Amino acid sequence: MVIKVGDVFPDAILTYLPYDPANPDACGLPQQLKTHEAFKGKKVVLFAVPGAFTPTCSEEHMPGYVAGVQDLKAKGVEIVACVASNDQFVMHAWGKSYNVKDDILMLSDANGELGSKLGLVNDGTARRMGPIRLARFAIVVDDLRVTYVGVEPAPGVTVSGFPAVMAKL
């Protein structure tokens, strides 16, 4: 079953490498993020990409959020997060390539736990990308309640992009 507006966002464990402003070039120790603990009582924009450093993700999806992250925060969004099927080290490197620092939380769902609970995974085997890949989507969560779901119906970025999400806040 695919997540929908009004649903409670599922509890899942994701991983990330925290940004350290005292040592921005360091690669820290992996940390766990439990979605219910992190998202409870907060407004969250979570956007998902099939893979870090891939063309559509890097050229169309991520740049809008990087450019608009402060606009989201001005609308009351407390956490802006990007999640992909890549491991936390790749996600950290991708975030560094955009200089996101701690403005966008770069999360790994390498085991597909969150994507599976959301009903938003694809099989990337035919493209040699592994059996579990996140779909391209954006979700707005307010105190664990889903208020927007935009799942891309075809290649490209429309309903999951920054402009579509900003229009729903």
Side-chain angles (χ1 to χ4, degrees):
M1 188 166 95
V2 176
I3 192 89
K4 63 187 179 313
V5 170
D7 287 349
V8 173
F9 194 83
D11 197 14
I13 298 174
L14 304 170
T15 55
Y16 70 102
L17 297 177
Y19 172 73
D20 180 0
N23 195 359
D25 294 326
C27 191
L29 295 174
Q31 304 292 311
Q32 290 187 345
L33 180 138
K34 296 176 181 175
T35 56
H36 274 200
E37 288 178 15
F39 297 175
K40 184 169 180 49
K42 296 184 176 134
K43 184 178 274 189
V44 178
V45 168
L46 176 74
F47 66 101
V49 298
F53 293 109
T54 58
T56 302
C57 304
S58 293
E59 296 166 14
E60 294 181 44
H61 212 170
M62 180 68 109
Y65 284 97
V66 171
V69 67
Q70 297 308 322
D71 295 332
L72 292 170
K73 291 187 177 189
K75 288 274 195 171
V77 174
E78 295 167 85
I79 297 173
V80 179
C82 175
V83 64
S85 302
N86 303 96
D87 67 60
Q88 61 270 23
F89 297 99
V90 170
M91 292 302 291
H92 183 72
W94 195 39
K96 280 176 70 173
S97 77
Y98 281 96
N99 198 33
V100 300
K101 299 180 180 173
D102 57 0
D103 289 331
I104 298 176
L105 194 55
M106 303 299 290
L107 300 172
S108 168
D109 188 25
N111 292 339
E113 179 183 348
L114 177 64
S116 296
K117 288 180 177 182
L118 294 170
L120 294 171
V121 292
N122 294 322
D123 184 346
T125 305
R127 296 183 317 269
R128 311 297 300 165
M129 295 180 81
I132 298 175
R133 274 293 172 188
L134 288 177
R136 184 179 308 284
F137 63 85
I139 296 176
V140 177
V141 180
D142 194 347
D143 192 20
L144 300 179
R145 187 71 55 189
V146 175
T147 61
Y148 175 74
V149 179
V151 180
E152 293 301 341
V157 179
T158 57
V159 296
S160 69
F162 169 77
V165 170
M166 190 68 178
K168 297 297 180 179
L169 295 175

